């Protein structure tokens, strides 16, 4: 049987609501406790990819770090409507370096 | 409708009008440095009553919705004929109908999407609908629901739920306005239909849909004939502005379309649309015998709440005061 994973997005309401139109489940959160709880809950609920705004992720670095070593779900950082903090791109660069041995981006 | 029935209602509304937010107060909120300051200004107004128990900035929506609910409840009490308030409350009924039908279709619970304002007792409509009991429903609502369900079986296209219900909404709204025989209400609905149709026309043009689709989504009963709007599909934006310039909404359509051409966005058009509909209500301030001031007051409150929402959302997302001002609607006072 082909297993279908779901996709989620976590962040402040105004940044993420548009994702709903794409069929992605949006979870608006306000503070870090809520963010941590939501990420932990949905990680166990069949979500393959969790997008999270950089602003929110910067508040819960330990939680994000914890999912780095797990295959599923993949936690991906995206900029919010306040612009980017560059941590998302940094992470991608670091992963590319790990995979290829040099930064080819 | 006897105009003399409204002497006391108008007097009460006049008192309420004095509590509407002034432009100066809104400006203070626009220039506030954060949400806390916005709340502080708001606490000096009649909103103070609904601001209790607020723990986080993001809960602003609670203040706005309880205020709106309070206004509708009060105005239903004040108005001698419910239809005066129904004219503005009807949109919430149809919003709830959309939620209800989709809820049943998807077998999911959208409880938090319902708006507890409306011209009818919606929990009863919901119960009747889910039980398949259509007998006690308003015949117009019943017809709308039956039509939507029939269409869903044939086309299986969820977008059609919204299209059909919007159509029935305007039909229902027009019938309500017509039944009052009050020129302001009929004008308001007709102008609202015209402006909505023009906005639809622009959107359909932008999406490159065909004339058949446009014919489906344009609503009748406006001052501008339905066919005139449908046939304008292939006109340029300047052509459309010229074609409708002799209508009441003409000048605003022209301004709105000019802004659209510049920015490729309809937000300015929508602002002008709201401003126009507020503007035709301003003469109500000088009506002392009749239902107009009641209607205009409810509309003024809706506009005020919309303005507050714009300010608060913008503050939370750190938009500059200039950006907020550009989006802010005209007020009644």
């Amino acid at each position: 049987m082909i297993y279908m994973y779901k996709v989620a997005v976590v962040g402040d309401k105004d940044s993420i609501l548009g994702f709903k139109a794409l069929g992605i489940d949006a979870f608006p959160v306000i503070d870090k406790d809520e963010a941590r709880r939501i990420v932990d809950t949905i990680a166990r609920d069949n979500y393959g990819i969790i997008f999270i705004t950089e602003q929110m992720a910067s508040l819960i670095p330990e939680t994000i770090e914890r999912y780095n070593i797990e295959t599923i779900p993949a936690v991906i950082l995206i900029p919010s409507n306040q612009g980017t903090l560059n941590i998302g791109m940094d992470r991608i660069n670091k992963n590319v370096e790990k995979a290829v041995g040099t930064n080819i981006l | 409708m006897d105009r003399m029935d409204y002497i006391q209602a108008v007097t009460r509304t006049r008192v309420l009008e004095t509590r509407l937010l002034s432009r100066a107060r809104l400006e203070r909120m626009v220039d506030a440095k954060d949400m806390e300051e916005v709340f502080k200004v708001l606490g000096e107004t009649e909103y103070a009553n609904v601001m209790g128990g607020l723990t986080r900035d993001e809960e602003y929506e609670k203040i706005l919705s309880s205020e709106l609910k309070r206004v509708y409840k009060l105005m239903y009490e004040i108005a001698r004929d419910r239809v005066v308030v129904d004219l503005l409350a009807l949109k919430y009924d149809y919003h709830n109908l959309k939620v209800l039908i989709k809820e049943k279709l998807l077998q999911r619970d959208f409880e938090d999407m319902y708006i507890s304002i409306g011209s009818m007792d919606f929990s009863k409509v919901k119960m009747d609908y889910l039980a398949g009991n259509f007998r006690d429903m308003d015949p117009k609502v019943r017809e709308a629901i039956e039509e939507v369900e029939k269409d869903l079986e044939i086309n299986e296209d969820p977008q059609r739920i919204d299209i059909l219900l919007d159509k029935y909404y305007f039909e229902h709204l027009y019938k309500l306005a017509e039944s009052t025989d009050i020129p302001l209400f009929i004008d308001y609905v007709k102008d609202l239909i015209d402006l909505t149709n023009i906005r639809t026309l622009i959107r359909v043009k932008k999406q490159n849909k065909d004339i058949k689709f446009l014919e489906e989504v344009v609503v009748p009963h406006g001052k501008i004939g339905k066919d005139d709007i449908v046939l304008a599909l292939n006109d340029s934006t300047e052509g459309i502005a010229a074609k409708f310039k002799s209508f009441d909404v003409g000048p605003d359509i022209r301004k709105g379309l000019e802004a659209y051409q510049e920015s490729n966005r309809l937000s300015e058009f929508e602002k002008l649309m709201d401003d126009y509909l507020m503007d035709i209500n301003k003469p109500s301030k000088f009506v002392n015998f009749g239902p107009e001031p009641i209607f205009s007051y409810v509309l003024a409150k809706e506009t005020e709440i919309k303005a507050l929402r714009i300010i608060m959302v913008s503050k939370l997302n750190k938009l500059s005061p200039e950006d907020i001002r550009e989006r802010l609607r005209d007020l009644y006072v």
Side-chain angles (χ1 to χ4, degrees):
Chain A
M1 190 183 113
I2 307 167
Y3 205 71
M4 291 281 278
Y5 286 105
K6 293 183 280 186
V7 182
V9 58
V10 181
D12 66 288
K13 180 177 136 203
D14 298 317
S15 295
I16 63 164
L17 226 49
F19 282 86
K20 270 194 163 173
L22 303 173
I24 296 176
D25 294 338
F27 296 92
V29 293
I30 295 170
D31 53 32
K32 62 177 180 180
D33 292 333
E34 225 178 339
R36 191 172 293 142
R37 207 178 56 236
I38 288 284
V39 170
D40 283 335
T41 329
I42 59 180
R44 268 180 276 119
D45 189 25
N46 203 15
Y47 282 92
I49 301 175
I50 299 172
F51 291 108
I52 180 164
T53 60
E54 290 177 345
Q55 273 74 5
M56 214 36 91
S58 66
L59 300 177
I60 50 166
E62 317 85 39
T63 314
I64 305 293
E65 199 55 44
R66 195 142 40 82
Y67 290 103
N68 267 349
I69 44 175
E70 289 184 32
T71 336
I72 287 163
V75 177
I76 316 273
L77 273 55
I78 53 171
S80 79
N81 63 358
Q82 308 279 310
T84 175
L85 302 174
N86 275 326
I87 23 182
M89 208 55 209
D90 278 354
R91 275 164 53 100
I92 294 180
N93 280 331
K94 234 179 260 167
N95 285 341
V96 167
E97 249 179 75
K98 264 188 238 167
V100 193
T102 169
N103 191 347
I104 53 168
L105 289 180
Chain B
M1 208 176 281
D2 186 352
R3 287 189 167 269
M4 288 305 159
D5 279 348
Y6 278 87
I7 299 175
Q8 204 213 351
V10 172
T11 317
R12 283 185 75 182
T13 310
R14 288 281 178 267
V15 176
L16 296 173
E17 274 171 15
T18 61
R19 296 185 201 146
L20 285 166
L21 299 187
S22 63
R23 186 85 214 174
R25 221 183 273 270
L26 274 193
E27 289 291 337
R28 265 175 68 202
M29 289 190 234
V30 170
D31 289 325
K33 70 174 191 303
D34 54 18
M35 275 294 257
E36 203 182 320
E37 240 182 88
V38 174
F39 284 145
K40 211 184 281 164
V41 180
L42 205 57
E44 301 162 5
T45 67
E46 65 170 341
Y47 285 82
N49 299 323
V50 289
M51 283 177 72
L54 202 72
T55 46
R56 290 192 294 201
D57 289 353
E58 282 80 358
E59 287 172 7
Y60 65 87
E61 193 58 49
K62 276 193 197 149
I63 304 180
L64 302 181
S65 64
S66 23
E67 176 69 2
L68 193 64
K69 247 179 265 173
R70 185 188 69 79
V71 169
Y72 269 99
K73 192 164 165 275
L74 178 66
M75 295 320 274
Y76 266 123
E77 264 169 49
I78 291 182
R80 284 292 289 264
D81 306 271
R82 283 184 66 90
V83 60
V84 180
V85 186
D86 282 350
L87 283 167
L88 288 166
L90 196 69
K91 54 179 172 293
Y92 302 111
D93 292 318
Y94 277 80
H95 163 83
N96 287 338
L97 278 177
K98 286 179 192 173
V99 178
L100 178 60
I101 292 180
K102 290 175 188 176
E103 211 174 32
K104 192 184 170 203
L105 197 67
L106 293 171
Q107 294 290 328
R108 275 176 59 187
D109 185 21
F110 294 137
E111 192 53 50
D112 54 333
M113 301 252 188
Y114 287 106
I115 299 173
S116 54
I117 300 171
S119 69
M120 44 191 104
D121 177 2
F122 202 78
S123 54
K124 189 166 176 342
V125 176
K126 185 176 178 180
M127 235 163 52
D128 284 347
Y129 174 67
L130 294 177
N133 175 14
F134 289 40
R135 234 176 350 154
D136 301 340
M137 274 182 211
D138 183 323
K140 291 194 199 71
V141 172
R142 178 180 163 172
E143 194 193 328
I145 294 182
E146 284 176 340
E147 196 57 42
V148 168
E149 296 221 307
K150 218 188 305 161
D151 190 88
L152 267 176
E153 263 173 46
I154 306 169
N155 293 316
E156 292 185 340
D157 178 4
Q159 195 193 8
R160 302 267 309 162
I161 302 176
D162 297 326
I163 293 175
L164 283 169
L165 280 176
D166 283 342
K167 211 177 212 171
Y168 277 100
Y169 161 65
F170 282 113
E171 188 75 45
H172 194 160
L173 184 66
Y174 180 68
K175 289 274 145 61
L176 280 186
E178 222 185 6
S179 74
T180 62
D181 245 348
I182 304 284
L184 171 69
F185 299 164
I186 298 175
D187 270 340
Y188 175 85
V189 172
K190 280 182 175 261
D191 289 336
L192 175 68
I193 290 176
D194 282 341
L195 290 165
T196 311
N197 278 339
I198 300 287
R199 188 180 59 184
T200 310
L201 170 69
I202 306 294
R203 287 205 177 131
V204 170
K205 255 173 92 76
K206 201 174 176 183
Q207 292 177 7
N208 286 322
K209 297 244 179 153
D210 57 11
I211 201 155
K212 242 182 87 204
F213 181 81
L214 181 63
E215 232 175 336
E216 266 306 295
V217 290
V218 171
V219 191
H221 304 307
K223 288 178 186 162
I224 306 176
K226 192 180 160 177
D227 293 338
D228 290 339
I229 293 185
V230 173
L231 289 176
L233 181 60
N234 293 320
D235 292 356
S236 63
T237 9
E238 293 95 346
I240 295 171
K243 194 168 178 180
F244 302 125
K245 71 169 188 291
S246 59
F247 288 94
D248 291 348
V249 290
D252 287 272
I253 290 178
R254 190 178 50 78
K255 259 190 276 172
L257 290 181
E258 275 166 13
Y260 167 73
Q261 261 184 328
E262 240 168 71
S263 62
N264 218 10
R265 281 185 308 174
L266 275 169
S267 52
E268 175 70 13
F269 185 89
E270 285 176 340
K271 176 186 140 58
L272 286 164
M273 192 169 153
D274 286 345
D275 287 351
Y276 177 85
L277 293 171
M278 193 76 257
D279 231 35
I280 59 169
N281 272 284
K282 285 185 181 164
S284 301
K285 279 185 267 190
F286 310 107
V287 175
N288 291 316
F289 309 103
E292 289 94 339
I294 320 282
F295 174 85
S296 301
Y297 174 76
V298 181
L299 186 71
K301 276 308 275 191
E302 280 199 340
T303 310
E304 178 186 288
I305 288 168
K306 198 182 263 179
L308 285 176
R309 184 174 294 115
I310 291 173
I311 294 176
M312 291 177 177
V313 171
S314 308
K315 281 289 161 223
L316 275 179
N317 290 293
K318 305 191 173 63
L319 254 63
S320 70
E322 295 83 62
D323 285 337
I324 304 177
R325 255 181 218 114
E326 191 183 295
R327 289 166 174 76
L328 226 45
R329 267 74 172 156
D330 268 353
L331 298 172
Y332 182 53
V333 283

